[in-house]
C-alpha cells in the first residue's frame, strides 16, 4: 500500500485493472499484422515511437510476465550479477529489462539497442545502460564486436525478428 501511495503521489502508479491499455483493448482486439510491420522497418519503428510514452502501461495492462522471470532468474544468479559481465539488450524498448537487472544487482556493462528513437529516448531516461544505440536487429548487429558479450537479452520482440538473421548474430556476439 505504501508503494502504491508513493507511486500515485509521483504519477507513476499504473492500476493493473484500469489503465490506458485496458481502456483501449477493444482497439487492439485484432492484434497487429506482424508480416506488414516487419516488412517495413520504418513502419515498425514509427509504431513503437508512438507507443513509447505508453509502453510501461502496455506491459502492466497486458499482464506481461517477463519482468517477474528476470527477477527470479537474477535471484538465482546473484554472484554472476556482481561481476564484470557484458549484456546486450536487443530491442530494449523503454529499458524495462535493463532496469530490472540493475534493480536485481547487475553491475556490469549493459548496452541496449532498438529501432525506435522514441523507445531509446525513454530507455535513456532510466540511466541504466552504459550505451544505447539505434539499430534494426533484422539487419544484424554490425555495431557489436564478435565474442564480446556474456548475455544477449531479447524480451517481447522475437516475434518481430527474422530468426535466420538474428539468432546467428546473437551467437556471433556471445563469448564462446
Amino acid at each position: 500500500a505504501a508503494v502504491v501511495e508513493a507511486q500515485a503521489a509521483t504519477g507513476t502508479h499504473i492500476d493493473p485493472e484500469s489503465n490506458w491499455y485496458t481502456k483501449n483493448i477493444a482497439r487492439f482486439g485484432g492484434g497487429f499484422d506482424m508480416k506488414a510491420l516487419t516488412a517495413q522497418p520504418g513502419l515498425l519503428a514509427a509504431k513503437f515511437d508512438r507507443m513509447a510514452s505508453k509502453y510501461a502501461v502496455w506491459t502492466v495492462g497486458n499482464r506481461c510476465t517477463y519482468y517477474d522471470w528476470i527477477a527470479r532468474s537474477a535471484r538465482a544468479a546473484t554472484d554472476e550479477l556482481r561481476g564484470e559481465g557484458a549484456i546486450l539488450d536487443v530491442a530494449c524498448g523503454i529499458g524495462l529489462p535493463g532496469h530490472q537487472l540493475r534493480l536485481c544487482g547487475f553491475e556490469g556493462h549493459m548496452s541496449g539497442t532498438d529501432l525506435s528513437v522514441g523507445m531509446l529516448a525513454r530507455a535513456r531516461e532510466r540511466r541504466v545502460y552504459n550505451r544505447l544505440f539505434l539499430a534494426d536487429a533484422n539487419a544484424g548487429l554490425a555495431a557489436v564486436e564478435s565474442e564480446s558479450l556474456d548475455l544477449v537479452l531479447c524480451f517481447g520482440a522475437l516475434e518481430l525478428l527474422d530468426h535466420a538473421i538474428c539468432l546467428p548474430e546473437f551467437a556471433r556476439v556471445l563469448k564462446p
Side-chain angles (χ1 to χ4, degrees):
V3 170
V4 169
E5 185 179 323
Q7 289 174 333
T10 60
T12 59
H13 178 69
I14 301 168
D15 182 344
E17 303 303 322
S18 178
N19 57 61
W20 173 83
Y21 179 84
T22 59
K23 290 175 183 168
N24 288 283
I25 190 69
R27 286 189 318 145
F28 306 132
F32 302 114
D33 182 343
M34 295 299 186
K35 233 177 217 184
L37 285 173
T38 57
Q40 299 176 25
L43 181 64
L44 184 60
K47 181 171 204 55
F48 281 107
D49 285 344
R50 288 190 305 274
M51 283 182 62
S53 66
K54 302 285 187 210
Y55 197 77
V57 179
W58 172 274
T59 60
V60 171
N62 72 12
R63 306 216 186 275
C64 181
T65 59
Y66 309 143
Y67 311 105
D68 180 56
W69 182 88
I70 293 171
R72 284 192 326 268
S73 297
R75 277 195 301 273
T78 304
D79 291 341
E80 291 86 348
L81 292 174
R82 307 275 183 249
E84 291 295 316
I87 292 176
L88 176 64
D89 186 357
V90 175
C92 69
I94 63 171
L96 294 173
H99 199 163
Q100 182 76 26
L101 281 171
R102 292 292 190 203
L103 289 172
C104 290
F106 180 69
E107 297 174 352
H109 187 276
M110 190 170 0
S111 297
T113 181
D114 204 283
L115 57 67
S116 163
V117 294
M119 292 288 198
L120 288 172
R122 294 289 175 153
R124 193 166 283 109
E125 291 170 3
R126 292 180 182 282
R127 294 185 234 173
V128 298
Y129 293 94
N130 301 90
R131 176 181 177 218
L132 286 164
F133 59 99
L134 185 67
D136 177 358
N138 282 330
L141 299 170
V144 182
E145 195 176 316
S146 295
E147 299 183 358
S148 62
L149 301 170
D150 297 293
L151 180 65
V152 173
L153 301 175
C154 185
F155 287 96
L158 281 174
E159 69 276 11
L160 300 171
L161 299 179
D162 182 337
H163 296 176
I165 295 170
C166 292
L167 296 179
E169 278 294 279
F170 293 175
R172 179 187 67 77
V173 300
L174 284 168
K175 293 176 183 173

